[in-house]
Amino acid sequence: PAPGTYRAFLGGGYVRLGASPVGQVTADVTPGTGPTQTAAGLFVAMLTRMGVDGADIRADDLTTLDAQQPAPLGVAFLEPITAADAVDQVANAVGAWWGVTAAGTYRIARLRRPTGDVAETFTPDDLIGPPRSISTADAERGMPAWAVSVRYAQNYTVQSDVAFGVSDARRALLAEPWREVRAEEPAVRDAHVLAVDLTYDTLFRSEADARKEAERRLRLRGIRRHRFDITVLFDERTASLDLGDVVGLRHPRFGLTVAGDEIGQKFVVLGVAPDAKAGRVTLTLWGNSFTTYNLVTNDGDFLITDVGDFLVTDSR
């Protein structure tokens, strides 16, 4: 090739330069196009490379995740990494969890707000003991987020000394390890003095996709969340419950019911721990209670309240 240009032999993974390089040479590399670059596609590609049979990966999980998040992702591993850590990066990028069932089936699903129809509803008559409030297992202890920053398009090789013909805009991008977008809701900070500002590292490649994810995570974390353990009988009714299912919990404690309510509050099932010998199963649930957190302005005109899954501004 002529000086200042290159040729690529994609089938063999070779690049030939037209002249001896001055400084560091980098490249943006994509393995293909289409669904192989989504979180679901990368999940399958990584598991397959690990030797997992495709039949052991839950197909409906992949279809659902592709529908929820079809954005292309990009990742590079420049240092040795375990297979589990590599898959973690893909799942965390889109706010998903993954794991292996007792039957040996690999699953991946995105954590979502507990909305829609419920698989089961539990009342005090169903519970063996009261609900147990436990840590939300995050550093913020379930506090609402008033701002979410999403980092995307990671620059794996930060450079300040680049070729003469590189534009100023490109130089600025090459000098930073990440690009970043931000979503904010100041009303949450006004209502919650301890509201947090969160930052996530992701694998998104485009600003538009990263911005959508920032807004989604702000909606997800914009109110205070709670986690409860409940113990119920292990029977036909509960044996079919799976991770990610939505259930209702109605109980007089922890603000889990209101007058006239039949379902109680909705929760996502985060954990299922059966004890076949005792005939019980402990479910770990994640969601929010009907407990309200209010802020009345100095003139008394507005009341900001967390109710269910939405921040409601109610004129008084």
Side-chain angles (χ1 to χ4, degrees):
T5 64
Y6 70 93
R7 290 176 184 166
F9 172 38
L10 300 182
Y14 292 98
V15 175
R16 174 177 289 175
L17 304 179
S20 298
V22 177
Q24 196 169 24
V25 177
T26 65
D28 293 333
V29 182
T30 56
T33 59
T36 58
Q37 296 184 34
T38 66
L42 289 174
F43 181 70
V44 172
M46 289 181 174
L47 291 184
T48 301
R49 186 171 183 129
M50 291 162 55
V52 176
D53 191 319
D56 292 331
I57 304 174
R58 186 159 159 173
D60 59 335
D61 278 357
L62 303 176
T63 301
T64 299
L65 186 58
D66 261 341
Q68 293 173 335
Q69 185 49 272
L73 306 181
V75 61
F77 303 112
L78 306 185
E79 300 291 340
I81 186 173
T82 66
D85 286 344
V87 179
D88 280 346
Q89 287 193 31
V90 173
N92 292 339
V94 296
W97 55 267
W98 74 281
V100 189
T101 68
T105 300
Y106 285 80
R107 296 204 55 198
I108 185 170
R110 191 168 71 170
L111 180 64
R112 60 191 178 97
R113 291 184 300 148
T115 59
D117 296 334
V118 298
E120 293 289 345
T121 296
F122 298 104
T123 68
D125 293 337
D126 301 310
L127 271 56
I128 302 173
R132 298 178 296 281
S133 179
I134 59 177
S135 168
T136 54
D138 57 26
E140 299 78 31
R141 294 178 297 178
M143 290 303 299
W146 77 273
V148 170
S149 296
V150 166
R151 294 174 177 170
Y152 70 101
Q154 183 177 1
N155 177 13
Y156 290 89
T157 307
V158 176
Q159 296 172 288
S160 58
D161 183 15
V162 295
F164 177 76
V166 176
S167 68
D168 290 342
R170 182 66 178 168
R171 287 174 183 272
L173 291 177
L174 294 175
E176 298 294 336
W178 294 95
R179 303 178 205 179
E180 186 175 302
V181 294
R182 185 173 174 85
E184 297 181 355
E185 181 47 76
V188 175
R189 183 177 54 183
D190 294 339
H192 302 274
V193 177
L194 298 180
V196 295
D197 187 338
L198 301 176
T199 299
Y200 297 97
D201 294 343
T202 71
L203 306 179
F204 292 105
R205 290 158 50 185
S206 78
E207 178 180 351
D209 292 331
R211 189 171 300 282
K212 289 179 182 178
E213 181 66 10
E215 294 169 352
R216 186 190 75 85
R217 296 197 187 204
L218 181 60
R219 292 192 299 270
L220 187 69
R221 294 294 307 272
I223 68 173
R224 185 167 188 175
R225 301 293 185 178
H226 304 272
R227 206 161 62 131
F228 296 100
D229 273 353
I230 63 171
T231 301
V232 295
L233 290 177
F234 187 47
D235 53 21
E236 292 183 358
R237 179 187 174 198
T238 56
S240 61
L241 290 177
D242 201 354
L243 301 179
D245 285 348
V246 176
V247 299
L249 178 59
R250 183 158 55 89
H251 197 277
R253 296 187 64 184
F254 302 112
L256 294 172
T257 188
V258 294
D261 174 66
E262 295 296 327
I263 295 178
Q265 187 58 289
K266 295 180 180 180
F267 288 86
V268 174
V269 178
L270 290 188
V272 180
D275 183 345
K277 183 177 181 180
R280 302 176 176 184
V281 59
T282 298
L283 304 175
T284 300
L285 309 180
W286 177 86
N288 50 278
S289 70
F290 285 109
T291 304
T292 59
Y293 304 89
N294 305 326
L295 169 72
V296 180
T297 59
N298 291 333
D299 55 12
D301 287 338
F302 296 93
L303 176 68
I304 301 177
T305 307
D306 280 345
V307 180
D309 289 308
F310 301 95
L311 184 72
V312 180
T313 303
D314 182 21
S315 179
R316 292 298 176 110

